[in-house]
Amino acid sequence: MTPAEKNWAGNITFGARRLHAPRSVAEIQEIVAAGATVRALGTRHSFSTVADTAGDLVSLAGLDRVVEIDRAAGSVTVGAGLRFGEFSDVLHENGYALHNLGSLPHISVAGACATGTHGSGIGNRSIAGAVRALEMVTADGGIVALKRGDADFPGAVVALGALGVVTRLTLDLVPAFDVQQWVYEDLPQSRLGDPDGFDEVMSAAYSVSLFTDWRGGPVNQVWLKQRVDAGGARQAPAEWLGARLADGPRHPIHGMPAQNCTQQQGVPGAWHRRLPHFRLEFIPSNGDELQSEYFVARRDAAAAYAALDRIRDRIAPLLQIGEIRAVARDDLWLSPASGIDAVAFHFTWVPDTAAVRPVLGAIEETLAPFGARPHWGKVFTTTPETLRALYGQYADFEKLMARYDPSGTFRNDFLDRHFPR
């Protein structure tokens, strides 16, 4: 591995001594059995050091490209290294869909699930919430299979790569559906001033995203992704809750090309062509950026929004754009939405770590009364002691790590910091 190997955003230079690109599970078993420390690597979209190691990195990109649909079970089993954009077409052509997708179709299934990545919608769980079974190579080179209902399963889905190298995942499917997407501009802040108003906005469509630059005044954009059901496609009103319908396609970041984004203006399209914000064939978002994200209980979202607005003068100068989304609760131990219907406050920063870190501290202090949980794959400064208090099964996960990986094969500095032995 060369010193030039970096993550997608360029803020992490991997310290691994070797980068492996196995083509089969058997090769992964050999690497794990022979290596002192091993970490799995997906599509490198994490902004934290969660995937880094001083040992061996195992890229999942070349792994068996399995896509097995089980019609009787209503599920699909996929190779862990596949990107969502690489198998969604197959699902749709066979009459199926995933219930939710993240903003980017560019990310791998295993990486998204391991870090609790999500899409949006008050009734939609994170991507990891669709996992019904998984297989992974464990520290002794063996293979363990877990399924929903097994005692270890809730701790093994959002597991940060700490238990093994996940090689296959089985996901719940739903019938395929179409989506219309509209963008509204300049939503009055007053609409978010109380829990009922906040819920009215966030429940206005199957998936809702608010984009704000935190400079005060109206919310810049609201993206509404509405399912096309039995009634067929619909027209959008020119005005909605005081916001106006955009007169053309938009990118969340002012000045960036809208052609990079999924089609808007109410043109119906398949679920996987509308639920993400960005198209697979283009660079997602900006690319030259850092990202952070914090989850609070939905009941606290209006108060959390007001608290963040009070420190907007700290946030805005370093921000490219902020996004606010809802995520339904799940029961996965380390999921940021574990046990809570959540609202996530996302920040896309300028690529200046030294300048951003103090602002993260200010945000975390501001959101502390609301028990804000950071996204594991994004930059944050929340202390391990604070995280331990925010997750009811933190200690259970530590016991799971000790049982599955007693020799520390999959440990790295990130895990040592947040889950010290």
Side-chain angles (χ1 to χ4, degrees), residues 10-286:
N11 68 305
I12 302 294
T13 299
F14 293 108
R17 61 188 175 187
R18 285 184 294 267
L19 172 64
H20 302 270
R23 309 294 294 183
S24 68
V25 173
E27 287 184 61
I28 294 177
Q29 292 178 274
E30 292 175 5
I31 294 165
V32 170
T37 56
V38 177
R39 293 292 289 172
L41 186 66
T43 47
R44 310 186 190 199
H45 276 83
S46 287
F47 296 80
S48 72
T49 57
V50 63
D52 197 16
T53 181
D56 293 340
L57 273 176
V58 177
S59 171
L60 301 178
L63 200 59
D64 299 337
R65 306 182 74 77
V66 175
V67 182
E68 298 173 353
I69 296 173
D70 185 334
R71 292 185 178 275
S75 66
V76 62
T77 299
V78 297
L82 280 174
R83 300 183 298 167
F84 285 94
E86 293 175 324
F87 70 93
S88 295
D89 275 330
V90 175
L91 298 184
H92 189 72
E93 289 164 2
N94 281 275
Y96 291 106
L98 299 174
H99 77 287
N100 206 355
L101 287 172
S103 300
L104 313 180
H106 310 70
I107 58 178
S108 70
V109 180
C113 293
T115 56
T117 297
H118 60 95
S120 184
I122 62 170
N124 300 328
R125 294 165 298 159
S126 71
I127 295 168
V131 177
R132 102 168 28 182
L134 60 84
E135 292 181 7
M136 61 183 171
V137 176
T138 51
D140 60 0
I143 296 176
V144 167
L146 293 171
K147 64 182 184 303
R148 191 179 289 149
D150 292 342
D152 293 342
F153 181 80
V157 180
V158 182
L160 313 178
L163 307 183
V165 178
V166 174
T167 56
R168 291 162 64 102
L169 296 111
T170 300
L171 308 173
D172 294 328
L173 295 176
V174 298
F177 57 94
D178 283 351
V179 173
Q180 292 175 275
Q181 179 170 222
W182 295 279
V183 175
Y184 282 86
E185 297 181 302
D186 296 333
L187 177 75
Q189 271 191 319
S190 60
R191 293 292 182 180
L192 307 177
D194 61 74
D196 289 341
F198 213 104
D199 268 2
E200 181 182 13
V201 172
M202 299 309 294
S203 61
Y206 184 80
S207 170
V208 177
S209 290
L210 314 183
F211 290 100
T212 174
D213 57 14
W214 290 104
R215 295 186 181 276
V219 173
N220 302 51
Q221 298 176 12
V222 182
W223 289 34
L224 301 178
K225 302 170 190 276
Q226 188 64 264
R227 284 183 60 136
V228 179
D229 292 316
R234 66 184 74 177
Q235 295 296 315
E239 184 176 320
W240 168 76
L241 298 182
R244 67 180 185 278
L245 189 65
D247 60 5
R250 297 289 190 267
H251 191 287
I253 300 175
H254 180 72
M256 293 291 290
Q259 69 180 24
N260 292 14
C261 300
T262 50
Q263 192 163 10
Q264 303 158 22
Q265 298 181 285
V267 178
W271 56 279
H272 62 297
R273 304 291 187 190
R274 297 294 183 272
L275 292 181
H277 295 334
F278 302 101
R279 299 183 184 186
L280 182 64
E281 62 267 30
F282 291 104
I283 295 174
S285 189
N286 183 6

Side-chain angles (χ1 to χ4, degrees), residues 333-349:
W333 293 356
L334 292 188
S335 166
S338 181
I340 58 168
D341 289 318
V343 166
F345 292 89
H346 180 277
F347 303 89
T348 297
W349 305 105

Side-chain angles (χ1 to χ4, degrees), residues 263-316:
Q263 192 163 10
Q264 303 158 22
Q265 298 181 285
V267 178
W271 56 279
H272 62 297
R273 304 291 187 190
R274 297 294 183 272
L275 292 181
H277 295 334
F278 302 101
R279 299 183 184 186
L280 182 64
E281 62 267 30
F282 291 104
I283 295 174
S285 189
N286 183 6
D288 196 13
E289 64 194 58
L290 298 173
Q291 292 184 13
S292 300
E293 189 169 32
Y294 299 92
F295 296 70
V296 304
R298 203 171 93 213
R299 63 179 179 273
D300 294 327
Y305 176 85
L308 288 170
D309 191 53
R310 289 194 287 272
I311 63 166
R312 64 176 182 266
D313 290 345
R314 297 286 307 276
I315 296 171

